[in-house]
Amino acid sequence: MPQAKADYDTPWKDVLEQFFEPFMQFYFPDAHAQINWQAGFTFRDKELQKVTRRAKIGRLTVDKLVQVGLKSGQELWVLVHY
């Protein structure tokens, strides 16, 4: 009987959703300081799936696409990939 592959992506994605702001603060403090955290942020998984589904280079391991607002008033999309 073939063994199922371990799913390491899903727990990582769940943690990233729960702790996105502290993640950014720890790993990317300069970027974190520019984000307007009071405005909130939006995970754009459906948009990311549309892009990766069209890719013809095999399975991609892209974790999260997040829309944030900057303190300057601009919008930025953050791609978290490992």
Side-chain angles (χ1 to χ4, degrees):
M1 170 181 274
Q3 289 184 326
K5 291 185 178 182
D7 179 14
Y8 298 111
D9 274 357
T10 301
W12 168 246
K13 291 175 184 180
D14 292 343
V15 168
L16 192 57
E17 282 193 22
Q18 290 290 321
F19 300 103
F20 179 65
E21 183 181 354
F23 165 83
M24 290 296 292
Q25 186 175 26
F26 184 81
Y27 289 105
F28 306 102
D30 293 338
H32 178 273
Q34 295 178 44
I35 296 173
N36 179 1
W37 293 103
Q38 280 68 36
F41 50 90
T42 306
F43 289 95
R44 297 292 185 182
D45 296 341
K46 289 183 182 179
E47 288 82 351
L48 181 60
Q49 289 172 359
K50 289 178 187 176
V51 173
T52 57
R53 206 174 326 162
R54 286 184 252 159
K56 295 184 180 182
I57 58 173
R59 185 174 185 271
L60 299 176
T61 309
V62 176
D63 286 312
K64 289 291 179 183
L65 183 61
V66 189
Q67 179 183 353
V68 299
L70 300 180
K71 292 177 180 175
S72 68
Q74 294 176 305
E75 176 184 293
L76 181 72
W77 290 39
V78 178
L79 178 64
V80 181
H81 173 76
Y82 70 95

